[in-house]
């Protein structure tokens, strides 16, 4: 037996207390069945791969032994799921959420409430039928998300509201009764617009074209179906992700505003519910694919320290006016058009380093954010608020040194980096020093992590 403990992604310097015996809550009673299906599915897969051997074994007296073996396996899997459910508990204290899991290898996660970045509720199709939901917590500094799967629908909503209230700084005795904060819908993505945007991205069509051309060629060249399948299967996955799968996931994308932050609801078969707390966005990316630009469409992505919602999406597609309005809720000091107008292209001599794509690189600074631009076909502007900058670096490769160029790297709190490539070397050196000063000064007036707690400087 091992006991692994974590504290919000930070190395534990003091071993915290386990969940005391008799305390904590269990998950929904349906959870053991979720954990028991894997061995049964594995047995079915083995049986399908060895269908002829299974058929031979099922002849005569072998059928009884075969059924007995299946029954033992199912009972064993069910017993393991039940015992695993019995030892899994969670407990909310004044400062952290503790989750104990593991039957043979025990794991106790200690998630500090003030470091929780987002709490998502996920309802897969089958879970919706049984009225249960999964609660997933993203914690700053943690590489993976901890989750409680599954809870009763109402219990998941209440627990999420309590954790968000505690994370916001509400007194511990008042947090359990805080309840779900009211939300006001700001925008819902139109299904037709979503479908057109995915079609214009071209990723699904590109993968389909590759599958139609490359797979037969490999089949003809090797005279074997296996190499062709090895190429076809990843391409089919890419086709799914870039077309119907993305549409089902992003269907009904709704952005609402509440005291907890911006709420994101989406999904046709599986409904997902995420909340982005205010003041915790580390960076914003404005993505403009080539075929979207004539229509004035763009995509808004967020870095919120942690995996978060659907790959950090705020808007899968939106008009420019809608994006500007919603971006103002997150970065109220940023005027998008004025900010992007500050971006200047890399110097002309950079064409010797990247002849075609040179104009795709740019850099700009406003009083509120550092901006880096990259890409020509898929143009991406990355905006990092000065208060969220963790470090600033300057790098020069051999070719950049010869051309008198350098790149500025700005690291932010979500383990991401905004890079302004191919800048004039002297300008880049001055900009690194200036950015360090901007970040230091901005942090003095930044919103506290617990946003309902008064700022010490106010």
């Amino acid at each position: 037996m091992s006991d692994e403990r974590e504290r919000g992604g930070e190395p534990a310097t003091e071993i915290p207390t386990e969940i005391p015996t008799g305390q904590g809550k269990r998950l929904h009673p349906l959870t053991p069945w979720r954990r028991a299906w894997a061995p049964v599915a594995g047995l079915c897969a083995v049986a399908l791969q060895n269908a002829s051997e299974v058929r031979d074994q099922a002849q005569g007296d072998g059928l009884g032994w075969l059924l007995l073996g299946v029954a033992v396996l199912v009972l064993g899997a069910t017993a393991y799921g039940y015992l695993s459910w019995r030892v899994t508990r969670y407990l909310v204290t004044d400062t952290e959420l503790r989750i104990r899991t593991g039957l043979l290898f025990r794991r106790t996660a200690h998630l500090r409430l003030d470091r929780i970045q987002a709490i998502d509720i996920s309802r897969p199709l089958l879970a919706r039928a049984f009225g249960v939901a999964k609660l997933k917590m993203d914690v700053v500094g943690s590489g993976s998300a901890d989750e409680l799967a599954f809870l009763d629908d109402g219990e998941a909503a209440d627990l999420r509201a309590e954790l968000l209230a505690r994370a916001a700084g509400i007194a511990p005795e008042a947090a359990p009764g805080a309840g779900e904060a009211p939300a006001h819908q700001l925008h819902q993505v139109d299904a037709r617009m979503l479908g057109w945007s995915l079609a214009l991205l071209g990723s699904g069509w590109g993968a389909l074209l590759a599958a139609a051309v490359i797979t037969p060629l490999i089949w003809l060249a090797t005279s074997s179906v296996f190499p062709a399948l090895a190429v076809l299967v990843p391409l089919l996955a890419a086709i799914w992700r870039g077309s119907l799968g993305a549409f089902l996931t992003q269907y009904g994308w709704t952005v609402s505003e509440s005291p907890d932050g911006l709420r994101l609801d989406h999904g046709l078969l599986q409904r997902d519910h995420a909340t982005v707390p205010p003041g915790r966005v580390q960076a914003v990316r404005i993505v403009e694919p080539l075929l979207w630009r004539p229509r004035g469409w763009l995509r808004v992505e967020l870095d919120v320290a942690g995996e978060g919602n659907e790959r950090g999406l705020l808007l899968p597609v939106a008009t420019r006016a809608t994006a500007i309005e919603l971006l103002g809720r997150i970065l109220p000091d940023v005027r998008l058009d004025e900010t992007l107008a500050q971006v200047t292209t890399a110097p002309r001599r950079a064409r010797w380093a990247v002849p075609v794509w040179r104009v795709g690189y740019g850099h700009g600074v406003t009083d509120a954010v550092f901006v880096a631009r990259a890409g020509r076909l898929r143009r991406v502007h990355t905006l990092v608020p000065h208060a969220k900058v963790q470090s600033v670096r300057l790098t020069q490769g051999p070719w950049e040194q010869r051309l008198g160029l350098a790149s500025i790297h700005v690291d932010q709190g979500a383990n991401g980096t905004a890079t302004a490539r191919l800048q004039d070397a002297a300008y880049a050196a001055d900009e690194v020093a200036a950015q360090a000063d901007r970040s230091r000064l901005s942090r003095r007036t930044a919103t506290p992590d617990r946003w309902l707690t008064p700022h010490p400087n106010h």
Side-chain angles (χ1 to χ4, degrees):
M1 303 257 296
S2 69
D3 191 357
E4 177 189 350
R5 296 181 172 90
E6 302 172 354
R7 287 183 68 87
E10 292 184 341
T13 54
E14 180 180 348
I15 301 298
T17 309
E18 268 267 21
I19 295 179
T21 303
Q23 295 187 23
K25 294 183 179 179
R26 289 199 176 98
L27 304 179
H28 194 277
L30 284 177
T31 302
W33 297 104
R34 165 183 174 260
R35 295 174 176 171
W37 73 270
V40 178
L43 177 65
C44 294
V46 171
L48 287 175
Q49 288 182 343
N50 303 275
S52 58
E53 288 82 357
V54 172
R55 187 170 54 251
D56 294 341
Q57 290 292 329
Q59 301 295 327
D61 295 339
L63 179 60
W65 287 106
L66 187 62
L67 293 176
L68 179 61
V70 171
V72 169
L73 181 66
V74 171
L75 288 175
T78 304
Y80 175 81
Y82 173 76
L83 294 174
S84 178
W85 170 75
R86 288 277 300 177
V87 301
T88 301
R89 289 173 178 269
Y90 71 91
L91 176 68
V92 181
T93 70
D94 290 348
T95 58
E96 62 186 16
L97 168 66
R98 300 175 189 171
I99 304 175
R100 186 181 66 192
T101 57
L103 179 60
L104 300 178
F105 300 95
R106 184 177 301 170
R107 175 179 185 269
T108 303
H110 295 253
L111 311 180
R112 277 178 43 183
L113 299 179
D114 61 347
R115 298 180 70 83
I116 290 179
Q117 296 292 306
I119 302 176
D120 304 340
I121 292 181
S122 179
R123 297 183 176 90
L125 183 61
L126 194 57
R128 291 167 66 184
F130 288 100
V132 296
K134 179 193 303 183
L135 208 62
K136 186 174 72 174
M137 282 68 63
D138 288 326
V139 183
V140 63
S142 177
S144 60
D146 281 279
E147 64 179 28
L148 293 171
F150 286 93
L151 297 173
D152 178 79
D153 250 346
E155 184 182 1
D158 292 342
L159 180 59
R160 173 184 164 281
E162 179 182 350
L163 293 176
L164 286 174
R166 289 174 182 261
I170 290 181
E173 58 275 14
E180 185 84 2
H184 167 63
Q185 180 175 317
L186 299 175
H187 178 69
Q188 185 173 55
V189 176
D190 179 69
R192 186 175 178 181
M193 183 180 185
L194 176 63
W196 272 112
S197 68
L198 292 172
L200 291 174
L201 274 179
S203 55
W205 295 108
L208 181 61
L209 181 63
V213 174
I214 297 176
T215 305
L217 290 177
I218 292 179
W219 193 354
L220 291 174
T222 62
S223 301
S224 173
V225 70
F226 294 106
L229 285 176
V231 174
L232 179 61
V233 171
L235 289 174
L236 289 177
I239 294 170
W240 171 262
R241 287 197 304 270
S243 56
L244 186 58
F247 182 83
L248 294 176
T249 302
Q250 298 170 4
Y251 180 85
W253 193 283
T254 304
V255 182
S256 305
E257 186 178 45
S258 79
D260 299 333
L262 289 182
R263 293 185 185 171
L264 308 175
D265 295 274
H266 58 93
L268 182 59
L269 301 181
Q270 172 175 318
R271 291 295 294 173
D272 288 308
H273 175 99
T275 300
V276 180
R280 297 201 173 183
V281 174
Q282 307 295 311
V284 175
R285 282 184 299 280
I286 307 297
V287 183
E288 299 171 278
L290 179 64
L291 297 181
W292 287 16
R293 290 180 217 165
R295 296 169 178 262
W297 293 355
L298 46 81
R299 170 189 177 105
V300 183
E301 300 176 352
L302 305 176
D303 278 343
V304 196
E307 294 299 325
N309 58 80
E310 171 69 3
R311 288 179 289 181
L313 268 183
L314 174 65
L315 287 168
V317 60
T319 62
R320 199 171 196 84
T322 301
I324 290 173
E325 180 187 351
L326 292 184
L327 191 59
R329 310 278 177 160
I330 298 174
L331 302 175
D333 298 331
V334 174
R335 305 289 178 269
L336 184 60
D337 286 336
E338 297 173 12
T339 299
L340 300 188
Q342 299 298 315
V343 176
T344 56
T345 305
R348 282 182 60 81
R349 62 179 182 277
R351 68 184 184 278
W352 300 111
V354 280
V356 178
W357 303 102
R358 192 263 310 175
V359 295
Y361 294 109
H363 164 59
V365 176
T366 70
D367 292 339
V369 292
F370 173 95
V371 187
R373 183 178 67 199
R376 291 199 65 177
L377 299 181
R378 183 176 181 270
R379 190 165 59 199
V380 180
H381 286 93
T382 303
L383 284 61
V384 183
H386 297 314
K388 304 300 181 184
V389 173
Q390 301 295 309
S391 62
V392 189
R393 296 175 285 119
L394 182 147
T395 60
Q396 266 189 308
W399 195 241
E400 287 178 312
Q401 291 182 35
R402 188 178 182 84
L403 295 173
L405 301 173
S407 297
I408 307 169
H409 305 270
V410 167
D411 303 316
Q412 35 89 352
N415 297 324
T417 300
T419 301
R421 292 193 60 195
L422 305 174
Q423 301 299 306
D424 177 82
Y427 167 80
D430 293 339
E431 185 60 22
V432 167
Q435 182 61 47
D437 286 339
R438 290 187 209 107
S439 303
R440 178 173 49 80
L441 295 174
S442 297
R443 278 194 287 271
R444 293 179 180 176
T445 57
T447 305
D449 284 345
R450 312 191 82 171
W451 56 96
L452 292 183
T453 301
H455 194 285
N457 295 331
H458 292 174

